[in-house]
Amino acid sequence: MKIVRFAQMKEGIHINNEIIYLLPNGKTLFIRPECIDKMQKYRQVKRNDTEAGGILIGRILIENGHYIIDEVSEPMTTDKRRRTYFKRNMEGHQEFFNSIWDREVGSCFYLGEWHTHPENNPTPSSIDWKNWNRLKRIGFESECLFFIIVGINEMKVWYSEKNSKIIELRRRSSFG
Ligand SMILES: [Zn+2]
């Protein structure tokens, strides 16, 4: 994927309305409410709801080094979706990325993956750990990746730097 790591903060970012997670290096991750809504739509509330997922697209703010997730892709018809399985087809999500890239004139990059789980408080499966570690190993241009699992009651975020263990991020209620 084409990438640009740093981008200017755009007007209209209201930090307080966003979901904020603390990174081990003192930086934070902001997730836009629109992205939260998009992902929450696929919560596996009903017994036959299948897993959903997509990619995370965002920026590192040049002013302060914080991360922001601006966009998330949604499941495509070519993805494989089962009750406890989700495998995204590369092409559709890549096209989505490209459309955001064009719109933002290159000021965005791939920041990781999200998917749903049919459990209240999600815990990564062995397959998740395997996938995440694989993504961590293959080259990515951002210094870190984020992995989100949307459970029925709770959404959790994991964080990965190239040479360290994948850890779960703590949520922060307000920014100050
Ligand atoms: Zn999973």
Side-chain angles (χ1 to χ4, degrees):
M1 281 181 186
K2 304 173 287 188
I3 57 101
V4 160
R5 273 182 47 199
F6 292 94
Q8 294 291 136
M9 191 187 289
K10 278 186 279 187
E11 284 176 53
I13 296 180
H14 304 295
I15 297 300
N16 287 335
N17 295 332
E18 280 155 305
I19 311 285
I20 295 162
Y21 290 86
L22 294 170
L23 273 59
N25 61 6
K27 302 293 182 194
T28 55
L29 167 72
F30 312 131
I31 306 173
R32 279 185 188 277
E34 301 92 303
C35 298
I36 305 278
D37 292 346
K38 258 191 190 178
M39 294 186 285
Q40 294 279 343
K41 225 168 58 184
Y42 295 98
R43 280 185 311 134
Q44 292 176 267
V45 178
K46 282 186 262 147
R47 274 171 64 155
N48 54 352
D49 286 339
T50 54
E51 285 198 8
I55 62 169
L56 310 171
I57 301 172
R59 292 167 291 143
I60 302 172
L61 300 177
I62 206 162
E63 295 87 345
N64 49 28
H66 295 302
Y67 287 82
I68 179 160
I69 293 173
D70 288 306
E71 293 283 352
V72 296
S73 65
E74 293 178 70
M76 311 273 166
T77 49
T78 48
D79 295 333
K80 282 199 178 69
R81 300 179 60 184
R82 305 280 181 271
R83 179 66 182 162
T84 58
Y85 178 81
F86 175 79
K87 189 170 193 305
R88 72 172 172 81
N89 183 295
M90 186 61 88
E91 279 78 34
H93 296 270
Q94 175 73 56
E95 276 165 30
F96 178 80
F97 179 87
N98 293 346
S99 70
I100 302 296
W101 170 273
D102 289 342
R103 195 193 72 196
E104 299 298 326
V105 211
S107 295
C108 64
F109 64 104
Y110 170 79
L111 266 186
E113 307 268 330
W114 72 274
H115 71 286
T116 61
H117 268 195
E119 54 182 346
N120 288 330
N121 306 308
T123 43
S125 66
S126 56
I127 292 169
D128 290 332
W129 287 116
K130 237 172 91 181
N131 283 338
W132 294 352
N133 280 303
R134 181 179 51 83
L135 288 164
K136 194 178 133 182
R137 276 196 306 273
I138 58 177
F140 56 85
E141 297 288 337
S142 72
E143 281 157 7
C144 62
L145 287 179
F146 299 94
F147 304 110
I148 296 177
I149 303 182
V150 179
I152 297 166
N153 292 336
E154 230 187 314
M155 185 186 88
K156 290 185 178 173
V157 181
W158 283 262
Y159 166 79
S160 155
E161 279 173 25
K162 231 163 212 171
N163 295 314
S164 46
K165 246 176 74 188
I166 298 172
I167 56 160
E168 191 188 333
L169 292 182
R170 278 186 306 125
R171 189 164 159 182
R172 184 172 174 178
S173 49
S174 64
F175 183 72

